[in-house]
Amino acid sequence: MSDLKKKIKRVVVKSRILSPLYNVYLKYVLWKRCTITIKNYGQNNITDIPIIYSNNFIVTFRGDNNFVKIGKGCNFKNTNSIYVQGDDNVVVIGDNVTFDSNVLIVVGEGTKVNIGSDCIFADRVHIRTTDQHTIYDENRKRINPAKDVYIGNRVWLGKDAIIMKGVKVGDGAIIGMDSMVTKNVPERCIAAGKPAKVIRTNIYWNE
């Protein structure tokens, strides 16, 4: 047998041995990187979460009939949380979304948070649909009802940005660092400040 044939045979034999071992190793690495905690203090709560890269990702349910769905290819880097209070709430996150650290999503009173694909959330981004406490006027009419939040595709939220209830952020938008968004933000623009205002339009951004 020629030297070339011997080398080919060794490579084939080696690959047959190592391929299964590599598959086991890959599953182990993904399992170690996929630290997800579900705290369920209710009934009929459903999560649809694939294997994602995460380090201490926490979903807390304090109510019934809630639903949380995470898309494929997401990267939740360190201690990120979804807190669901009350019944019939929904959180849907698209594909290839990145959370840095200490991102918090709070939903309540039967509302929904919908986040598109290819978004980046920097440290301590905070999204909420509810104030968690009711406020009334002198006629006992409530003045702070909960409202849905919609984040488009390819949205970049800067460090310490806050997205308040009832807000829609358009595709391709950027929210500046330490901004509080209380009104809708159009697509492909930069909004910044407290409260956030549009400061540039017709922009594009790259990772």
Side-chain angles (χ1 to χ4, degrees), residues 139-156:
N139 298 315
R140 295 186 177 276
K141 180 180 178 181
R142 187 174 179 186
I143 61 175
N144 68 332
K147 296 179 182 178
D148 298 340
V149 170
Y150 294 91
I151 308 292
N153 297 308
R154 197 169 170 73
V155 171
W156 176 10

Side-chain angles (χ1 to χ4, degrees), residues 47-142:
T47 57
D48 183 357
I49 303 176
I51 292 178
I52 57 175
Y53 290 101
S54 66
N55 183 6
N56 196 27
F57 177 53
I58 303 168
V59 179
T60 302
F61 293 108
R62 291 192 178 276
D64 304 329
N65 306 312
N66 298 290
F67 178 61
V68 172
K69 176 180 174 61
I70 310 295
K72 298 178 181 178
C74 292
N75 185 0
F76 296 165
K77 295 182 180 178
N78 188 32
T79 314
N80 297 289
S81 304
I82 296 175
Y83 184 84
V84 183
Q85 182 174 359
D87 306 332
D88 303 312
N89 300 283
V90 175
V91 177
V92 176
I93 298 175
D95 299 333
N96 305 312
V97 172
T98 297
F99 286 3
D100 282 342
S101 62
N102 297 302
V103 172
L104 173 63
I105 298 173
V106 178
V107 291
E109 303 181 63
T111 54
K112 180 177 182 178
V113 169
N114 192 96
I115 297 170
S117 297
D118 303 308
C119 296
I120 294 179
F121 291 6
D123 293 346
R124 295 191 297 274
V125 165
H126 188 169
I127 297 173
R128 60 168 50 245
T129 65
T130 174
D131 296 332
Q132 294 182 279
H133 301 284
T134 54
I135 303 174
Y136 300 91
D137 63 14
E138 66 274 12
N139 298 315
R140 295 186 177 276
K141 180 180 178 181
R142 187 174 179 186

Side-chain angles (χ1 to χ4, degrees), residues 164-185:
M164 297 300 292
K165 58 187 181 178
V167 165
K168 295 181 180 179
V169 179
D171 294 347
I174 298 173
I175 306 301
M177 181 185 300
D178 198 29
S179 297
M180 178 179 286
V181 183
T182 59
K183 295 182 180 180
N184 293 346
V185 176

